[in-house]
Amino acid sequence: KWYRIFAGAEDGWTFNQLEHSIMGYEGPTLLVIQARSKNKNDGSVTFGAYTASKWQKNKRDFFGTSDCFLFQLQPTMRVLKTVPKMGKRGGNYMFYHSNTNKVTSNPSRKDELTEGLGFGGTVRHPRLFIDSQLEECHVSHQDTSFEEGYLGFQPSNDLFASNSSSSTVQIDSLEIYAVGDEEAIRRGFRAQYQHRDINDATLRNARTVDKAAFLGDMRNGVIESKAFAHRGQVDGRANGCMKGEEDAKTNGL
């Protein structure tokens, strides 16, 4: 069975909405992309990826198992399976990195990993990669984790054209499906409901703690003393000199 859990055209073209739709679901999912090249005369292409692993948020490396594959439906049909893991070959299956990930040592600064979701390749250049704006999909024709083969449009036969092994297409449609038998899909959604309940409870608890800390600071006068500390420093003179500055000027300091 197929059960659609995300469609950009209906749910909204935002990475947050996509994340909400897939995170916590524990079961196989199928990602289907319909896209066109920047050269409108090339027509459209339909391709995507299948994975039996659940999606994980903001991992700094790849995750998932070899139970996944890339595919293309139009203009030609092909399936690109994973290759056996051997040394540095294989193992880079799934990648997901949202803009909420921060550098641990400096929370105000984001890390330099690519923001979006993908399969294969490297964390900076996945084999199949959808950017966090859900506008473009970058595809490469080979990597070390999946079989070699073209996704998207094949390179031009023109001898003077670029022979790059990668290309970028414009996304027209993006949909993600929960797939499997009815019981498997039901289990996947039960896990997702529990995941959302835990997240909601964590958020409510964080808000409660923040509110309690705020009220505690107010009762203890911490906020007032910090907010109006400048009043104790200003002498009240028209020129706004700090205490001690006027005396210093008088004494020629």
Side-chain angles (χ1 to χ4, degrees), residues 143-194:
D143 74 314
T144 60
S145 295
F146 292 88
E147 294 175 335
E148 183 175 345
Y150 290 103
L151 292 174
F153 300 96
Q154 293 193 19
S156 170
N157 292 324
D158 186 347
L159 295 177
F160 298 98
S162 171
N163 291 321
S164 172
S165 62
S166 63
S167 61
T168 300
V169 294
Q170 305 293 321
I171 298 176
D172 287 330
S173 174
L174 172 60
E175 298 183 349
I176 301 177
Y177 294 84
V179 295
D181 60 45
E182 189 172 338
E183 180 56 31
I185 293 177
R186 188 178 289 111
R187 286 197 305 270
F189 280 123
R190 280 201 297 265
Q192 188 176 51
Y193 296 150
Q194 293 175 357

Side-chain angles (χ1 to χ4, degrees), residues 96-122:
Y96 186 96
H97 190 71
S98 73
N99 57 11
T100 57
N101 203 16
K102 311 290 185 182
V103 177
T104 304
S105 59
N106 184 2
S108 65
R109 182 170 63 87
K110 298 176 185 177
D111 60 33
E112 297 178 353
L113 297 182
T114 304
E115 295 176 5
L117 67 85
F119 291 82
T122 67

Side-chain angles (χ1 to χ4, degrees), residues 50 65-70 79-85 89-94 119-120 127 143-148:
Y50 164 87
T65 69
S66 60
D67 192 359
C68 59
F69 59 82
L70 308 178
V79 175
L80 307 176
K81 300 178 181 179
T82 56
V83 299
K85 184 172 176 53
R89 181 180 174 86
N92 291 2
Y93 304 124
M94 300 167 64
F119 291 82
R127 170 79 176 273
D143 74 314
T144 60
S145 295
F146 292 88
E147 294 175 335
E148 183 175 345

